[in-house]
Amino acid sequence: MARYTARQGQGAQATDPAAAAEMRALTDLWTTRAREAMQAGVAADSPAADAVVADVVAGWLPSGANNNAAVTSDGPDARSLLHEQLTAAAEPAVERFWQLLCILGGQPAPASIAAEGQWLTTALRANPAPGTRDSRLEALYAQDSDPWPGGVLDAFARVRDTVGALVRATTPEQFSLPTPCEDWTVRDLLDHLVWENIIWGGLAQGAPPADGHTEDHLGADHVAAFETASATARAAFRQPGMLDRSFGPAPGRRVAEQLLIELLVHGWDLAAALGGDRDLESDIARAALPVVQEVYGELPRTVGGSFAPAVPVPRNAPALDRVAAFLGRRIPH
Protein backbone atom coordinates (compact mmCIF):
# COMPACT_ATOMS: atom_id res chain seq x y z
CA MET A 1 0.00 0.00 0.00
CA ALA A 2 2.85 2.37 0.80
CA ARG A 3 4.53 1.64 -2.52
CA TYR A 4 1.25 2.22 -4.38
CA THR A 5 0.67 5.52 -2.55
CA ALA A 6 4.23 6.66 -3.32
CA ARG A 7 3.82 5.83 -7.01
CA GLN A 8 0.62 7.83 -7.17
CA GLY A 9 2.08 10.80 -5.30
CA GLN A 10 -0.71 10.73 -2.71
CA GLY A 11 1.40 10.88 0.42
CA ALA A 12 0.62 14.54 1.09
CA GLN A 13 -3.08 13.78 1.34
CA ALA A 14 -2.51 11.95 4.61
CA THR A 15 -1.70 15.24 6.39
CA ASP A 16 -4.23 17.45 4.58
CA PRO A 17 -7.45 17.69 6.67
CA ALA A 18 -9.54 18.70 3.64
CA ALA A 19 -8.22 15.82 1.57
CA ALA A 20 -8.77 13.41 4.45
CA ALA A 21 -12.36 14.61 4.83
CA GLU A 22 -12.92 14.17 1.11
CA MET A 23 -11.59 10.61 1.26
CA ARG A 24 -13.90 9.80 4.17
CA ALA A 25 -16.88 11.16 2.22
CA LEU A 26 -15.86 9.16 -0.84
CA THR A 27 -15.47 6.00 1.24
CA ASP A 28 -18.91 6.60 2.77
CA LEU A 29 -20.35 6.96 -0.73
CA TRP A 30 -19.04 3.74 -2.20
CA THR A 31 -19.55 1.63 0.90
CA THR A 32 -23.15 2.88 1.24
CA ARG A 33 -23.97 2.21 -2.40
CA ALA A 34 -22.36 -1.24 -2.29
CA ARG A 35 -24.09 -2.09 0.99
CA GLU A 36 -27.49 -1.01 -0.37
CA ALA A 37 -26.96 -3.14 -3.45
CA MET A 38 -25.98 -6.15 -1.35
CA GLN A 39 -29.04 -5.74 0.88
CA ALA A 40 -31.25 -5.51 -2.21
CA GLY A 41 -29.81 -8.78 -3.52
CA VAL A 42 -27.99 -7.22 -6.50
CA ALA A 43 -25.22 -9.59 -7.59
CA ALA A 44 -21.91 -7.82 -8.14
CA ASP A 45 -21.42 -9.63 -11.44
CA SER A 46 -24.88 -8.81 -12.81
CA PRO A 47 -25.88 -6.05 -15.24
CA ALA A 48 -27.80 -4.39 -12.39
CA ALA A 49 -24.48 -3.66 -10.66
CA ASP A 50 -23.47 -1.40 -13.56
CA ALA A 51 -25.67 1.44 -12.30
CA VAL A 52 -24.08 1.24 -8.85
CA VAL A 53 -20.60 1.34 -10.39
CA ALA A 54 -21.61 4.36 -12.46
CA ASP A 55 -22.77 6.22 -9.32
CA VAL A 56 -19.52 5.47 -7.51
CA VAL A 57 -17.39 6.48 -10.50
CA ALA A 58 -19.35 9.74 -10.81
CA GLY A 59 -18.44 10.60 -7.19
CA TRP A 60 -14.84 9.45 -7.61
CA LEU A 61 -13.99 11.29 -10.86
CA PRO A 62 -13.89 14.87 -9.46
CA SER A 63 -12.23 13.82 -6.21
CA GLY A 64 -8.57 13.92 -5.28
CA ALA A 65 -8.51 10.12 -5.46
CA ASN A 66 -8.59 10.43 -9.24
CA ASN A 67 -4.98 11.42 -9.78
CA ASN A 68 -5.05 11.06 -13.56
CA ALA A 69 -6.02 14.36 -15.18
CA ALA A 70 -6.73 12.59 -18.46
CA VAL A 71 -9.50 10.49 -16.89
CA THR A 72 -12.52 12.80 -16.87
CA SER A 73 -15.49 10.55 -17.69
CA ASP A 74 -16.83 7.10 -16.92
CA GLY A 75 -15.27 4.45 -19.12
CA PRO A 76 -12.68 1.66 -19.18
CA ASP A 77 -9.82 3.91 -18.01
CA ALA A 78 -11.76 5.31 -15.05
CA ARG A 79 -13.04 1.91 -13.95
CA SER A 80 -9.61 0.30 -14.33
CA LEU A 81 -7.95 3.00 -12.20
CA LEU A 82 -10.64 2.83 -9.52
CA HIS A 83 -10.33 -0.96 -9.44
CA GLU A 84 -6.56 -0.67 -9.03
CA GLN A 85 -6.97 1.74 -6.12
CA LEU A 86 -9.55 -0.40 -4.35
CA THR A 87 -7.51 -3.56 -4.87
CA ALA A 88 -4.39 -1.88 -3.44
CA ALA A 89 -6.33 -0.82 -0.35
CA ALA A 90 -8.32 -4.02 0.13
CA GLU A 91 -5.96 -5.94 2.38
CA PRO A 92 -7.78 -7.63 5.30
CA ALA A 93 -4.66 -7.68 7.47
CA VAL A 94 -4.24 -3.92 7.09
CA GLU A 95 -7.88 -3.29 7.95
CA ARG A 96 -7.46 -5.43 11.06
CA PHE A 97 -4.27 -3.53 11.95
CA TRP A 98 -6.14 -0.20 11.98
CA GLN A 99 -8.97 -1.73 14.03
CA LEU A 100 -6.49 -2.99 16.63
CA LEU A 101 -4.77 0.41 16.80
CA CYS A 102 -8.14 1.97 17.61
CA ILE A 103 -8.74 -0.60 20.34
CA LEU A 104 -5.28 -0.03 21.84
CA GLY A 105 -5.92 3.72 21.75
CA GLY A 106 -9.25 3.39 23.51
CA GLN A 107 -11.21 4.43 20.42
CA PRO A 108 -14.16 2.60 18.82
CA ALA A 109 -12.93 0.32 16.05
CA PRO A 110 -14.44 1.13 12.64
CA ALA A 111 -16.74 -1.47 11.15
CA SER A 112 -15.25 -3.72 8.52
CA ILE A 113 -15.88 -2.69 4.91
CA ALA A 114 -14.25 -5.79 3.42
CA ALA A 115 -17.52 -7.19 2.09
CA GLU A 116 -18.44 -3.91 0.42
CA GLY A 117 -14.95 -3.71 -1.09
CA GLN A 118 -15.20 -7.23 -2.44
CA TRP A 119 -18.61 -6.45 -3.95
CA LEU A 120 -17.41 -3.27 -5.67
CA THR A 121 -14.16 -4.70 -7.02
CA THR A 122 -16.08 -7.65 -8.47
CA ALA A 123 -18.67 -5.29 -9.96
CA LEU A 124 -15.87 -3.30 -11.60
CA ARG A 125 -14.35 -6.46 -13.07
CA ALA A 126 -17.69 -7.73 -14.35
CA ASN A 127 -18.62 -4.30 -15.73
CA PRO A 128 -15.28 -2.88 -16.98
CA ALA A 129 -17.08 -0.28 -19.11
CA PRO A 130 -20.65 1.07 -19.00
CA GLY A 131 -23.05 -1.45 -20.53
CA THR A 132 -20.48 -4.24 -20.98
CA ARG A 133 -22.45 -6.99 -19.28
CA ASP A 134 -25.74 -5.85 -20.82
CA SER A 135 -24.19 -5.91 -24.30
CA ARG A 136 -22.76 -9.38 -23.74
CA LEU A 137 -26.11 -10.74 -22.60
CA GLU A 138 -28.01 -8.96 -25.35
CA ALA A 139 -25.85 -10.70 -27.97
CA LEU A 140 -26.29 -14.02 -26.17
CA TYR A 141 -30.04 -13.65 -25.79
CA ALA A 142 -30.41 -12.85 -29.48
CA GLN A 143 -29.74 -16.53 -30.16
CA ASP A 144 -33.23 -17.91 -30.71
CA SER A 145 -33.02 -21.51 -29.53
CA ASP A 146 -34.54 -23.70 -26.84
CA PRO A 147 -32.08 -26.43 -25.80
CA TRP A 148 -34.25 -27.88 -23.04
CA PRO A 149 -35.82 -31.35 -23.29
CA GLY A 150 -39.49 -30.86 -24.13
CA GLY A 151 -39.00 -27.08 -24.19
CA VAL A 152 -38.14 -24.69 -21.38
CA LEU A 153 -41.61 -24.75 -19.77
CA ASP A 154 -41.78 -28.54 -19.56
CA ALA A 155 -38.20 -28.70 -18.27
CA PHE A 156 -39.01 -26.06 -15.66
CA ALA A 157 -42.12 -27.96 -14.54
CA ARG A 158 -40.10 -31.17 -14.13
CA VAL A 159 -37.36 -29.48 -12.13
CA ARG A 160 -39.91 -27.63 -10.03
CA ASP A 161 -41.64 -30.91 -9.14
CA THR A 162 -38.34 -32.68 -8.39
CA VAL A 163 -37.11 -29.89 -6.13
CA GLY A 164 -40.56 -29.71 -4.56
CA ALA A 165 -40.22 -33.35 -3.54
CA LEU A 166 -36.89 -32.56 -1.87
CA VAL A 167 -38.46 -29.62 -0.04
CA ARG A 168 -41.30 -31.82 1.20
CA ALA A 169 -38.79 -34.41 2.41
CA THR A 170 -36.92 -31.80 4.46
CA THR A 171 -37.84 -31.60 8.12
CA PRO A 172 -37.36 -28.68 10.54
CA GLU A 173 -34.84 -30.84 12.42
CA GLN A 174 -32.59 -30.58 9.35
CA PHE A 175 -32.79 -26.78 9.07
CA SER A 176 -29.45 -26.21 10.83
CA LEU A 177 -27.45 -28.55 8.57
CA PRO A 178 -24.72 -26.91 6.45
CA THR A 179 -25.04 -26.78 2.66
CA PRO A 180 -22.58 -26.50 -0.24
CA CYS A 181 -23.52 -22.79 -0.38
CA GLU A 182 -20.99 -21.09 1.89
CA ASP A 183 -22.49 -19.82 5.18
CA TRP A 184 -25.98 -21.11 4.30
CA THR A 185 -27.87 -23.62 6.40
CA VAL A 186 -30.61 -25.79 4.95
CA ARG A 187 -33.15 -23.23 6.17
CA ASP A 188 -31.28 -20.42 4.42
CA LEU A 189 -31.26 -22.49 1.24
CA LEU A 190 -34.99 -23.22 1.45
CA ASP A 191 -35.67 -19.54 1.96
CA HIS A 192 -33.59 -18.73 -1.12
CA LEU A 193 -35.48 -21.29 -3.21
CA VAL A 194 -38.74 -19.59 -2.27
CA TRP A 195 -37.28 -16.15 -2.97
CA GLU A 196 -36.07 -17.17 -6.44
CA ASN A 197 -39.60 -18.25 -7.37
CA ILE A 198 -40.98 -14.99 -5.99
CA ILE A 199 -38.52 -12.73 -7.82
CA TRP A 200 -38.61 -14.44 -11.24
CA GLY A 201 -42.32 -15.18 -11.11
CA GLY A 202 -42.98 -11.56 -10.12
CA LEU A 203 -40.82 -10.32 -12.98
CA ALA A 204 -42.78 -12.47 -15.43
CA GLN A 205 -46.02 -10.94 -14.11
CA GLY A 206 -44.60 -7.42 -14.37
CA ALA A 207 -44.73 -7.02 -10.59
CA PRO A 208 -41.34 -7.60 -8.92
CA PRO A 209 -41.68 -8.07 -5.16
CA ALA A 210 -41.37 -5.06 -2.88
CA ASP A 211 -39.64 -6.96 -0.08
CA GLY A 212 -35.95 -7.85 -0.10
CA HIS A 213 -34.14 -11.15 -0.38
CA THR A 214 -32.89 -10.81 3.21
CA GLU A 215 -36.41 -11.03 4.67
CA ASP A 216 -37.91 -14.30 5.84
CA HIS A 217 -39.92 -16.00 3.08
CA LEU A 218 -40.52 -19.38 4.73
CA GLY A 219 -42.71 -18.52 7.67
CA ALA A 220 -43.87 -21.46 9.77
CA ASP A 221 -44.49 -23.84 6.83
CA HIS A 222 -41.58 -24.19 4.40
CA VAL A 223 -43.46 -26.64 2.18
CA ALA A 224 -46.45 -24.33 1.73
CA ALA A 225 -44.16 -21.37 1.08
CA PHE A 226 -42.33 -23.22 -1.71
CA GLU A 227 -45.48 -24.68 -3.25
CA THR A 228 -47.23 -21.31 -3.33
CA ALA A 229 -44.28 -19.39 -4.76
CA SER A 230 -43.38 -22.01 -7.37
CA ALA A 231 -47.00 -22.48 -8.48
CA THR A 232 -47.31 -18.71 -8.92
CA ALA A 233 -44.12 -18.64 -10.99
CA ARG A 234 -45.29 -21.55 -13.12
CA ALA A 235 -48.60 -19.82 -13.83
CA ALA A 236 -46.78 -16.60 -14.71
CA PHE A 237 -44.53 -18.41 -17.18
CA ARG A 238 -47.56 -19.99 -18.88
CA GLN A 239 -49.18 -16.66 -19.70
CA PRO A 240 -49.91 -16.38 -23.44
CA GLY A 241 -46.97 -14.83 -25.27
CA MET A 242 -44.78 -14.66 -22.17
CA LEU A 243 -41.88 -16.62 -23.69
CA ASP A 244 -41.49 -14.08 -26.51
CA ARG A 245 -42.10 -10.92 -24.47
CA SER A 246 -39.11 -8.63 -23.92
CA PHE A 247 -37.63 -8.20 -20.45
CA GLY A 248 -34.83 -5.72 -21.08
CA PRO A 249 -32.38 -7.48 -23.39
CA ALA A 250 -33.88 -10.91 -22.61
CA PRO A 251 -36.92 -12.68 -24.04
CA GLY A 252 -39.32 -14.28 -21.59
CA ARG A 253 -37.99 -17.78 -22.22
CA ARG A 254 -34.69 -16.66 -20.68
CA VAL A 255 -36.55 -15.57 -17.53
CA ALA A 256 -38.05 -19.05 -17.23
CA GLU A 257 -34.65 -20.54 -18.03
CA GLN A 258 -33.01 -18.53 -15.25
CA LEU A 259 -35.40 -19.90 -12.63
CA LEU A 260 -35.02 -23.40 -14.07
CA ILE A 261 -31.24 -23.21 -13.58
CA GLU A 262 -31.58 -21.71 -10.10
CA LEU A 263 -33.90 -24.51 -8.98
CA LEU A 264 -31.77 -27.20 -10.61
CA VAL A 265 -28.50 -26.06 -9.00
CA HIS A 266 -29.98 -25.25 -5.61
CA GLY A 267 -31.89 -28.53 -5.74
CA TRP A 268 -28.45 -30.16 -6.06
CA ASP A 269 -27.34 -28.13 -3.03
CA LEU A 270 -30.31 -29.36 -1.01
CA ALA A 271 -29.82 -32.99 -2.05
CA ALA A 272 -26.12 -32.78 -1.13
CA ALA A 273 -26.91 -31.20 2.24
CA LEU A 274 -29.42 -33.94 3.06
CA GLY A 275 -27.11 -36.71 1.85
CA GLY A 276 -29.50 -37.80 -0.89
CA ASP A 277 -29.21 -38.62 -4.59
CA ARG A 278 -27.71 -35.61 -6.38
CA ASP A 279 -28.29 -36.92 -9.92
CA LEU A 280 -31.45 -34.91 -10.50
CA GLU A 281 -33.11 -34.81 -13.93
CA SER A 282 -29.97 -35.95 -15.78
CA ASP A 283 -31.16 -35.09 -19.30
CA ILE A 284 -32.06 -31.55 -18.21
CA ALA A 285 -28.74 -31.26 -16.37
CA ARG A 286 -26.88 -32.27 -19.55
CA ALA A 287 -28.68 -29.51 -21.42
CA ALA A 288 -27.92 -27.06 -18.60
CA LEU A 289 -24.13 -27.41 -18.69
CA PRO A 290 -23.47 -25.60 -21.99
CA VAL A 291 -26.05 -22.96 -21.05
CA VAL A 292 -24.43 -22.10 -17.72
CA GLN A 293 -21.00 -22.17 -19.34
CA GLU A 294 -22.15 -19.67 -21.94
CA VAL A 295 -24.05 -17.36 -19.58
CA TYR A 296 -21.69 -17.43 -16.59
CA GLY A 297 -18.35 -18.49 -18.07
CA GLU A 298 -16.90 -14.97 -18.29
CA LEU A 299 -17.86 -13.85 -14.79
CA PRO A 300 -15.01 -13.09 -12.35
CA ARG A 301 -14.66 -15.92 -9.83
CA THR A 302 -13.82 -13.76 -6.81
CA VAL A 303 -15.02 -13.58 -3.21
CA GLY A 304 -17.56 -10.90 -4.08
CA GLY A 305 -18.92 -12.78 -7.10
CA SER A 306 -21.80 -15.19 -7.51
CA PHE A 307 -19.63 -18.27 -7.99
CA ALA A 308 -16.41 -19.71 -6.63
CA PRO A 309 -13.76 -20.92 -9.10
CA ALA A 310 -14.70 -24.10 -10.96
CA VAL A 311 -13.45 -27.30 -9.35
CA PRO A 312 -12.22 -30.51 -11.02
CA VAL A 313 -14.71 -33.31 -11.48
CA PRO A 314 -14.27 -36.87 -12.82
CA ARG A 315 -15.17 -37.42 -16.48
CA ASN A 316 -17.82 -39.98 -15.53
CA ALA A 317 -19.47 -37.71 -12.92
CA PRO A 318 -23.25 -37.28 -13.16
CA ALA A 319 -24.35 -34.35 -15.32
CA LEU A 320 -25.57 -32.22 -12.45
CA ASP A 321 -22.35 -32.78 -10.49
CA ARG A 322 -20.55 -31.32 -13.51
CA VAL A 323 -22.82 -28.28 -13.53
CA ALA A 324 -22.33 -27.78 -9.79
CA ALA A 325 -18.55 -28.14 -10.11
CA PHE A 326 -18.44 -25.56 -12.91
CA LEU A 327 -20.28 -23.15 -10.61
CA GLY A 328 -17.74 -23.71 -7.83
CA ARG A 329 -19.37 -26.39 -5.68
CA ARG A 330 -17.17 -29.02 -4.11
CA ILE A 331 -18.47 -32.46 -5.00
CA PRO A 332 -19.09 -34.77 -1.99
CA HIS A 333 -17.42 -38.18 -2.15
Side-chain angles (χ1 to χ4, degrees):
M1 289 178 67
R3 285 195 296 270
Y4 175 82
T5 301
R7 285 200 311 274
Q8 304 301 318
Q10 295 177 322
Q13 293 184 5
T15 57
D16 182 347
E22 183 184 50
M23 289 304 101
R24 285 195 295 271
L26 185 60
T27 300
D28 287 343
L29 167 68
W30 71 258
T31 54
T32 298
R33 292 295 286 116
R35 192 176 305 116
E36 290 172 347
M38 293 164 65
Q39 291 171 348
V42 175
D45 43 24
S46 71
D50 196 13
V52 180
V53 171
D55 284 350
V56 173
V57 171
W60 170 85
L61 279 169
S63 74
N66 176 13
N67 49 33
N68 188 332
V71 178
T72 58
S73 61
D74 191 359
D77 291 341
R79 296 190 179 197
S80 176
L81 182 55
L82 177 56
H83 180 271
E84 182 185 7
Q85 291 179 352
L86 288 171
T87 303
E91 172 52 60
V94 174
E95 181 180 70
R96 183 61 176 152
F97 173 77
W98 290 118
Q99 290 175 332
L100 290 173
L101 280 184
C102 290
I103 293 170
L104 288 171
Q107 301 296 320
S112 172
I113 58 173
E116 290 84 351
Q118 291 164 352
W119 189 95
L120 184 54
T121 53
T122 299
L124 284 162
R125 288 187 60 188
N127 299 275
T132 297
R133 184 80 180 130
D134 254 339
S135 297
R136 168 79 179 92
L137 290 178
E138 189 169 358
L140 173 64
Y141 291 157
Q143 302 172 15
D144 187 18
S145 62
D146 188 338
W148 304 99
V152 67
L153 290 184
D154 283 353
F156 167 74
R158 283 174 54 191
V159 171
R160 179 251 186 196
D161 291 345
T162 297
V163 175
L166 286 171
V167 172
R168 289 191 296 274
T170 306
T171 65
E173 290 74 25
Q174 296 169 309
F175 281 2
S176 61
L177 292 175
T179 72
C181 298
E182 187 176 359
D183 298 329
W184 277 7
T185 64
V186 164
R187 193 187 193 284
D188 296 328
L189 179 57
L190 291 171
D191 188 271
H192 185 74
L193 282 167
V194 173
W195 166 249
E196 289 290 349
N197 279 281
I198 292 172
I199 187 67
W200 293 105
L203 180 63
Q205 291 177 315
D211 62 344
H213 81 295
T214 57
E215 298 182 24
D216 178 47
H217 305 99
L218 286 189
D221 189 337
H222 65 286
V223 175
F226 179 84
E227 292 293 341
T228 300
S230 62
T232 301
R234 184 177 183 178
F237 292 162
R238 291 187 176 277
Q239 297 173 94
M242 186 270 170
L243 295 185
D244 298 317
R245 195 185 314 157
S246 294
F247 293 83
R253 63 183 176 80
R254 289 288 189 169
V255 175
E257 179 180 86
Q258 178 65 38
L259 182 53
L260 187 166
I261 292 171
E262 290 283 350
L263 292 183
L264 188 64
V265 175
H266 288 307
W268 182 94
D269 291 328
L270 184 56
L274 301 179
D277 181 8
R278 305 187 306 272
D279 190 15
L280 311 177
E281 302 294 347
S282 57
D283 60 332
I284 297 177
R286 282 192 294 273
L289 184 57
V291 175
V292 299
Q293 288 173 333
E294 190 172 36
V295 175
Y296 304 121
E298 294 183 352
L299 295 185
R301 302 297 184 98
T302 61
V303 176
S306 299
F307 307 111
V311 299
V313 64
R315 284 179 176 270
N316 60 348
L320 195 49
D321 274 6
R322 298 177 68 83
V323 174
F326 177 76
L327 297 178
R329 269 68 165 182
R330 297 193 178 278
I331 309 303
H333 295 293

